[in-house]
Amino acid sequence: MTARVALVTGGTGGIGTAICRRLAEGGHRVATNFRNEDKARAWQAQMQAAGHDIALAAGDVGSPEEAERMVREAERQLGPVDILVNNAGITRDGTFHKMTAPQWQEVINTNLNSVFNVTRPVIEGMRDRKWGRIIQISSINGQKGQYGQANYAAAKAGMHGFTISLAQENARFGITVNTVSPGYIGTDMVMAVPEDVRAKIVAQIPTGRLGNPDEIAYAVGFFIPDEASWITGANLSANGGQYMGW
Ligand code: CAA
């Protein structure tokens, strides 16, 4: 496989770490962003100890200015971005009748506005070079909705709307744009759901268990090779069978 430059947002998180590792193992040069430098440097050292050199670029994906600076810094270190994985995301769960404006805005900004903020500075280069991969990490809850996640489900469904529009606009330029929709994965984000609530969710998963981050990284990797160039605008569910809608 041709070695490419990949930028993974939120790469230091649970699913992000697995995506960075998989792309690096595939021979790609990988960068991620950070907001907390100490935490990111410690993560980078751990990745290095495991044999993976991951570049770091400062920036909050929720800010257009910081996101652009972050992209330029990643490019300065590694070269033009060929593969973008929009993975950064947060939750601020709560039933809607109690949801505050900040709970709504923070989730929409970090999970959805970020997709504009980070993709905009890379798209022109991909179009010029006639090759690109843009992958959104959405969620099962963007497909089926989730009690307590009106903000998150709206943002995650919005990510796929973005995917299918961008896929149409850029297909002629060798750029594919796809979504991966993970189900419940054993990350800190899911472990923060109260245990009794989580147990009820796991009971609804036909495989009978939470997913693991490597299973999502595998789905991301699927879209990258040249053999995958006919696959664009897809939404790949990786959820242990919890939701099978199409
Ligand atoms: N269906 C129907 N009723 C439900 C329900 C559901 N799925 N979940 C909760 N309820 C009911 C409760 O039984 C309770 O009813 P009673 O008052 O009659 O006992 C009521 O709703 C509780 O409502 P409240 O407004 O008082 O809510 P709360 O403050 O207790 O918290 C919550 C509600 C925050 C939504 C909590 O249930 C929760 O954390 N749910 C999990 C949400 C979730 O799945 N988050 C995913 C995080 S991980 C992630 O997002 C990654 C990914 O992509 C998959």
Side-chain angles (χ1 to χ4, degrees):
M1 192 194 289
T2 312
R4 306 279 185 186
V5 171
L7 173 61
V8 180
T9 67
T12 62
I15 291 177
T17 297
I19 296 172
C20 288
R21 196 188 310 123
R22 184 168 186 97
L23 292 176
E25 282 167 357
H28 305 298
R29 283 169 292 154
V30 183
T32 189
N33 70 303
F34 66 86
R35 284 180 302 162
N36 176 331
E37 178 148 18
D38 290 345
K39 191 181 147 212
R41 297 280 169 214
W43 175 88
Q44 187 183 41
Q46 274 176 9
M47 295 295 273
Q48 204 149 36
H52 308 306
D53 272 322
I54 312 291
L56 292 176
D60 180 342
V61 295
S63 151
E65 296 77 23
E66 287 191 34
E68 166 139 33
R69 237 179 290 136
M70 178 263 285
V71 167
R72 300 301 165 226
E73 173 57 21
E75 288 178 339
R76 190 189 66 74
Q77 293 185 48
L78 302 183
V81 174
D82 303 307
I83 301 167
L84 170 62
V85 185
N86 282 309
N87 164 74
I90 58 168
T91 54
R92 296 284 184 269
D93 292 354
T95 43
F96 183 72
H97 63 281
K98 294 184 197 164
M99 190 174 285
T100 62
Q103 273 179 299
W104 175 265
Q105 285 154 359
E106 285 168 26
V107 168
I108 298 295
N109 197 45
T110 302
N111 298 11
L112 184 58
N113 291 341
S114 61
V115 166
F116 171 84
N117 296 339
V118 183
T119 309
R120 187 67 186 81
V122 304
I123 192 75
E124 286 177 57
M126 288 181 181
R127 286 167 68 101
D128 289 345
R129 293 188 304 280
K130 303 270 189 293
W131 200 93
R133 296 285 183 266
I134 300 172
I135 299 160
Q136 274 58 255
I137 306 300
S138 177
S139 166
I140 184 175
N141 293 343
Q143 298 171 296
K144 70 166 187 54
Q146 170 61 35
Y147 199 104
Q149 286 201 309
N151 50 1
Y152 186 86
K156 292 297 187 179
M159 290 174 91
H160 190 59
F162 172 83
T163 288
I164 55 186
S165 300
L166 218 65
Q168 292 177 31
E169 292 181 12
N170 293 286
R172 285 180 301 121
F173 297 88
I175 301 168
T176 69
V177 190
N178 292 288
T179 300
V180 174
S181 288
Y184 283 76
I185 310 301
T187 59
D188 291 348
M189 183 186 273
V190 168
M191 298 322 267
V193 172
E195 201 178 337
D196 55 325
V197 176
R198 202 172 59 241
K200 286 187 195 143
I201 291 169
V202 174
Q204 295 162 9
I205 305 175
T207 52
R209 63 168 176 88
L210 295 173
N212 74 61
D214 290 333
E215 290 169 317
I216 302 308
Y218 177 79
V220 171
F222 169 76
F223 288 117
I224 292 172
D226 286 335
E227 293 90 318
S229 61
W230 190 246
I231 304 170
T232 193
N235 189 356
L236 178 55
S237 298
N239 61 33
Q242 190 186 348
Y243 179 75
M244 299 180 182
W246 38 292

